């Protein structure tokens, strides 16, 4: 079984719709991250959370929100999706006790906003 | 602020040929450096990492990378490329607050 899972894997939606992407992990890690990947731009950090009560904005948080429901679950929401949020979204985890900054990634969610 | 530059957007090599993917970083202190690979339709898999010590690090799948502080580089190498190595490769540097800053990626194509 995968250690970091993301649902859905693919989603097509329309402009203005609310969308939630979910991430679950069985690694027992405290820290979780959401990134988006765009061609030619690499991965950019949207939000990150170091524990259930700690949520931090990343590089490109506008238009997104997150919820850390439990240590193992971290959801990303698009309140009103727009076409330039079409991208590949990755969830990642890391262990605060592990080697510096090493992160483990889920398989990604491909989101298309029409 | 930390940054990573991967100068080559696309690279094409013949199967069996050697490979070098370039990565330059900007960071004030000793960096933590990573190479990840993303195969088509897959997530990111860690190839190798550098934290300290020996500047030549070995990774999975026959890859290695060399940290050169004087050149602010962490280039990825493989002596003989296989068709299954076709993927996108990302270099990343550890940033303050246990974050990673990624380069834009290099797409590797392998021709038979």
């Amino acid at each position: 079984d995968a250690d970091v899972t993301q649902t859905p894997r693919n989603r097509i939606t329309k402009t203005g719709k609310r969308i939630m992407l979910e991430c679950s992990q069985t690694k027992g890690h405290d820290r979780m991250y959401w990134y988006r990947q765009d061609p030619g731009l690499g991965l950019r950090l949207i939000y990150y959370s170091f524990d259930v009560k700690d949520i931090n904005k990343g590089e490109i948080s506008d238009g997104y929100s997150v919820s850390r429901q439990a240590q193992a679950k971290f959801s990303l929401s698009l309140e009103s999706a727009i076409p330039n949020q079409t991208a590949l979204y990755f969830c990642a985890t890391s262990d605060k006790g592990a080697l510096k900054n090493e992160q483990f990634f889920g398989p990604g969610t491909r989101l298309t906003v029409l | 602020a930390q940054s990573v530059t991967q100068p080559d957007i696309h690279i094409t090599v013949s199967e069996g040929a050697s490979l070098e993917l370039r990565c330059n970083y900007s960071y004030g202190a000793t960096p933590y450096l990573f190479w990840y690979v993303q195969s088509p339709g897959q997530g990111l898999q860690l190839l190798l990492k550098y934290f300290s010590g020996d500047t030549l690090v070995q990774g999975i799948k026959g890859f290695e990378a060399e940290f050169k502080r004087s050149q602010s580089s962490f280039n990825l190498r493989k002596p003989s490329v296989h068709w299954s190595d076709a993927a996108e490769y990302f270099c990343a540097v550890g940033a303050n607050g246990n974050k990673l800053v990624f380069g834009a990626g290099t797409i590797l194509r392998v021709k038979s």
Side-chain angles (χ1 to χ4, degrees), chain B residues 9-20:
Chain B
I9 298 173
H10 296 98
I11 283 185
T12 300
V13 300
S14 298
E15 192 169 14
S18 63
L19 171 70
E20 182 170 32

Side-chain angles (χ1 to χ4, degrees), chain B residues 33-51:
Chain B
L33 295 161
F34 304 83
W35 275 100
Y36 285 87
V37 60
Q38 183 184 16
S39 299
Q42 303 296 315
L44 274 73
Q45 181 181 21
L46 181 67
L47 281 176
L48 47 77
K49 58 201 175 194
Y50 172 80
F51 297 129

